[in-house]
Amino acid sequence: MDANDAKQSRIKSEVWETAEMRDALANRNISEVYRQLRKHGVSQRQIAAMTGQSQSEVSEILKGRQVMAYDVLSRISEGLGIPRGYMGLAYDEATEIQVVGAADEQQAEEDESVKRRKFLAHAAQVTMGAAVFGPASDAWAASPARTPAPGRIGMTDVRQVEAATRALRALDYQYGGGFCRDAVVAQLSWGQQMLQASGTEGVKSRLYVALADLHSLAGWTSFDIGLIDSARGHFANALDLAKQGENHPLVANVLYRMGRVYLHQEAPNDALKLFQLGQIAAQESGSELAVAVLCANEAWAYAMMGNAEQAIKLLGRTRDEFARADLANAESWVRFFNETDVYAMIGTVHTALAQQADVSHTKYAIPALAKATDAYGDDMARSKTFSLSMLATNHLLEGDIDHGAKVGGKALDCAEGLKSKRVEQRMRPLKEEAQRRSNNPDARDLVERMSTFFS
């Protein structure tokens, strides 16, 4: 292959607009795409040069070999200059507007507090029984990119969406939202089309829930890489779909996740309102585990506001509800909250209280966070990073600078490879405490290492 082939074979944009080509692209039928290119005078050698494939690979595809892998489809799209939205692939500007909804840039003119109030109003309407799938839903997102979907769906189709969501969520936990968000959004661009398909009432109801969960994951991964407006749009759609599917635990979970966005923005009062709405849905569901999740996060919000009494009270209720929960039969979107997460939340709440000038809370935070960090495995690298960072912060607050710096170093080791913008924000308190103790060489080294890491 000659690199000059790629340069000399600029494919005219009109080629992608023919009816035959658009149909092949929509179906991700790469064999037909290549056949259409050959009709337009593009040689196998040129296709190979542009896509980075060998000529034998191109030949096999022309003979009918299917291309299914997302990364290969993306490489072909980029190499040939195909508009990614034509193949239902995230992530380009056009696909962002179609799939994600009102883009972050379009919403930038609105003040963040206004956006919070609008989302809270929408959440309250959904939670308290407002109709969904009406004009309010349209305000959050436009139609997704067109990708082929079955004309009639069955449970197998829905299970495929559920399986994809589980797999993508596992990648998010282990590597961060930046690793898998494009794939989540691309999956949505296909899954949303199934809403137009025919199917039994039971199948459609389960589809609403499956897509709600996928939107929730899209919101969470968007949040993890700093796309707050996109996250808000996905969470709003997740609420509507979960309500349509009459799944109260998932409504509660979506509200919990959007509340976490506001905690990240250091707006605990707004977060608390969403947690309290989520608590209504959680109690209606009868899921003690969902109630426990909401109690723990309400406690965090109160701790950030300096209300130790309410925070401790809600931690106690978190333990009680968790002890009563049926963990074996919990739904997938709440099953993440296990004993390790209970310890992590106890440590998180006491860390927030310790940072509110009451250092005595470190004696409760340290043992809880130590248990959490010991229990988190590599599959929960992001959560482990957060817990290690808080544990290090508490040791610094107690005056154990050498050990705090050592644990802080472990947090940075754990963060290696994570594609998450939240990591820097969650580790900021540790950096600030280390900077206050910069006369200590270990603390000073930790600050330098953190500065280098996040640069």
Side-chain angles (χ1 to χ4, degrees):
M1 291 186 294
D2 187 343
N4 289 327
D5 286 333
K7 295 178 182 177
Q8 294 168 358
S9 304
R10 302 287 182 186
I11 298 173
K12 296 180 180 179
S13 59
E14 306 91 82
V15 171
W16 310 119
E17 303 302 331
T18 66
E20 296 82 2
M21 182 65 86
R22 287 297 295 270
D23 185 64
L25 292 171
N27 287 284
R28 297 182 182 175
N29 184 347
I30 304 303
S31 297
E32 183 59 25
V33 170
Y34 284 8
R35 282 192 286 271
Q36 289 295 321
L37 288 176
R38 294 288 290 113
K39 289 179 182 179
H40 285 276
V42 182
S43 70
Q44 289 189 38
R45 177 176 177 147
Q46 290 168 332
I47 293 171
M50 286 185 281
T51 61
Q53 295 174 304
S54 66
Q55 288 190 55
S56 61
E57 283 181 290
V58 173
S59 178
E60 288 174 11
I61 292 170
L62 279 164
K63 292 175 183 176
R65 194 189 88 184
Q66 289 186 315
V67 179
M68 305 293 290
Y70 183 83
D71 59 336
V72 178
L73 290 168
S74 295
R75 191 169 70 246
I76 290 171
S77 173
E78 183 177 351
L80 296 175
I82 302 169
R84 290 169 66 87
Y86 288 7
M87 296 173 67
L89 296 170
Y91 188 77
D92 64 3
E93 184 178 357
T95 307
E96 175 186 2
I97 294 170
Q98 289 178 301
V99 179
V100 176
D104 289 69
E105 304 83 22
Q106 293 173 313
Q107 298 186 27
E109 294 180 3
E110 272 191 320
D111 184 81
E112 178 61 29
S113 63
V114 175
K115 297 174 191 174
R116 288 183 199 145
R117 286 197 298 272
K118 287 173 67 174
F119 185 89
L120 180 63
H122 179 73
Q125 288 176 336
V126 172
T127 308
M128 305 308 288
V132 295
F133 286 170
S137 298
D138 295 339
W140 293 105
S143 298
R146 295 187 62 187
T147 312
R152 180 173 179 80
I153 58 172
M155 281 299 180
T156 299
D157 298 295
V158 180
R159 290 192 193 101
Q160 288 173 351
V161 175
E162 294 169 342
T165 304
R166 285 194 298 272
L168 291 166
R169 179 169 281 125
L171 291 173
D172 169 62
Y173 285 149
Q174 187 167 3
Y175 301 113
F179 184 83
C180 61
R181 180 183 180 273
D182 283 2
V184 176
V185 175
Q187 184 68 29
L188 263 176
S189 75
W190 178 80
Q192 286 274 126
Q193 299 307 299
M194 295 170 67
L195 290 170
Q196 309 305 319
S198 61
T200 66
E201 186 175 336
V203 168
K204 294 302 287 279
S205 179
R206 185 160 167 177
L207 175 64
Y208 295 145
V209 175
L211 289 177
D213 194 25
L214 188 54
H215 262 297
S216 180
L217 179 58
W220 191 249
T221 53
S222 297
F223 161 50
D224 201 45
I225 62 172
L227 298 177
I228 303 301
D229 286 329
S230 294
R232 193 176 357 244
H234 282 301
F235 285 134
N237 279 282
L239 278 179
D240 288 350
L241 286 160
K243 186 71 173 181
Q244 186 75 359
E246 299 181 349
N247 194 294
H248 295 296
L250 185 50
V251 169
N253 189 268
V254 173
L255 291 169
Y256 137 72
R257 291 185 183 279
M258 193 63 211
R260 286 289 287 268
V261 174
Y262 293 157
L263 287 185
H264 174 84
Q265 293 180 314
E266 298 183 2
N269 191 49
D270 289 326
L272 184 60
K273 292 172 185 174
L274 288 179
F275 295 148
Q276 290 168 339
L277 275 176
Q279 193 65 263
I280 294 171
Q283 291 175 13
E284 285 181 359
S285 75
S287 169
E288 291 88 356
L289 192 56
V291 172
V293 170
L294 269 301
C295 284
N297 283 275
E298 286 178 86
W300 190 358
Y302 276 118
M304 287 180 67
M305 292 187 285
N307 191 333
E309 182 179 355
Q310 276 294 97
I312 300 303
K313 180 180 177 181
L314 281 159
L315 278 183
R317 190 178 172 200
T318 300
R319 293 190 192 93
D320 292 342
E321 296 290 347
F322 181 80
R324 288 196 293 269
D326 182 4
L327 303 180
N329 295 308
E331 291 173 299
S332 60
W333 44 81
V334 74
R335 199 177 298 149
F336 75 92
F337 197 72
N338 54 25
E339 187 176 24
T340 303
D341 285 275
V342 172
Y343 282 124
M345 286 304 299
I346 292 170
T348 299
V349 171
H350 283 290
T351 299
L353 290 170
Q355 290 172 314
Q356 297 288 331
D358 190 352
V359 182
S360 66
H361 284 277
T362 58
K363 65 183 178 184
Y364 303 108
I366 288 174
L369 290 169
K371 288 180 180 178
T373 55
D374 287 345
Y376 281 132
D378 292 340
D379 58 333
M380 297 293 286
R382 184 176 54 202
S383 294
K384 186 167 186 173
T385 298
F386 293 164
S387 292
L388 280 167
S389 177
M390 288 186 289
L391 182 58
T393 302
N394 278 279
H395 282 300
L396 292 181
L397 287 169
E398 277 202 333
D400 192 352
I401 301 175
D402 294 346
H403 189 60
K406 182 178 179 181
V407 175
K410 290 181 180 179
L412 286 172
D413 291 339
C414 194
E416 196 75 49
L418 283 175
K419 292 177 172 58
S420 168
K421 285 193 175 181
R422 281 194 294 153
V423 171
E424 183 174 7
Q425 191 263 1
R426 290 292 297 271
M427 295 185 76
R428 192 178 302 146
L430 172 59
K431 186 176 182 180
E432 290 172 354
E433 292 301 330
Q435 285 174 328
R436 292 190 182 103
R437 297 156 179 81
S438 57
N439 58 325
N440 180 288
D442 291 321
R444 192 163 55 248
D445 288 345
L446 178 61
V447 171
E448 290 176 2
R449 187 180 168 193
M450 291 181 78
S451 297
T452 302
F453 185 87
F454 292 116
S455 65

